[in-house]
Amino acid sequence: MLIDRPVEKDWAFGAKIKKFGLRADVTGAKLYRNGENMIIYGLKNCDTCRKALRSLPDATLVDVRAEGVPEDVMTRAYAQFGAALLNTRSTTWRGLDAQEREQEPLVLIAAHPALMKRPLIDAGGTLYLGWTKDVAAQVTP
């Protein structure tokens, strides 16, 4: 059961509702934007992912090393962002040999999750890559 009313603070569940249009589940565990869960795919030790999580405190961080990224999300992200999904500036990339670098980006990311550009944000089915001012302006309430 979802609470579908504009409130500033729901004391019963401790869920802070910052803006109209957000809904809280009755356990108060998660907040929703446009009826969907906001998920940040990244690394728990990545500074950029930490910045995004601080700006989006109601989002859920999924550590791609520990949990991975669902295949359907990766397929949508690759279709939307293409080769930009691959972080060619990382130390993991520099450690790969030429033969490994020629593999398909999705295969490389599956084998080496740290190669994914971070963060990948799923906000109600809309994907955003990286944490720039433009992305922050679009996803912050």
Side-chain angles (χ1 to χ4, degrees):
M1 181 171 117
L2 294 173
I3 301 167
D4 234 345
R5 57 188 162 88
V7 293
E8 285 299 314
K9 182 97 173 165
D10 188 344
W11 294 104
F13 305 112
K16 186 172 183 181
I17 310 300
K18 295 180 181 176
K19 188 174 180 182
F20 293 86
L22 295 178
R23 303 186 305 171
D25 68 3
V26 293
T27 62
K30 296 180 192 264
L31 291 177
Y32 297 85
R33 179 185 172 102
N34 301 327
E36 295 291 329
N37 206 2
M38 188 176 297
I39 302 171
I40 300 172
Y41 296 100
L43 298 173
K44 63 182 178 182
N45 294 330
C46 172
D47 289 337
T48 307
C49 293
R50 288 182 188 178
K51 286 178 192 174
L53 192 58
R54 274 195 303 272
S55 297
L56 303 167
D58 303 322
T60 304
L61 177 67
V62 175
D63 190 331
V64 297
R65 280 191 183 136
E67 302 174 43
V69 180
E71 188 176 335
D72 64 317
V73 174
M74 284 304 295
T75 304
R76 283 185 14 232
Y78 185 66
Q80 184 174 344
F81 303 113
L85 191 60
L86 196 61
N87 183 4
T88 57
R89 293 179 166 193
S90 71
T91 53
T92 305
W93 175 261
R94 291 190 298 257
L96 297 176
D97 61 29
Q99 184 180 7
E100 285 180 304
R101 289 182 183 187
E102 292 176 9
Q103 293 179 10
E104 289 292 318
L106 291 179
V107 173
L108 277 170
I109 292 171
H112 307 281
L115 283 176
M116 183 183 80
K117 183 170 171 127
R118 303 173 300 270
L120 175 63
I121 302 170
D122 186 349
T126 304
L127 297 175
Y128 302 92
L129 186 61
W131 189 248
T132 62
K133 290 180 181 179
D134 293 336
V135 170
Q138 291 178 33
V139 298
T140 52

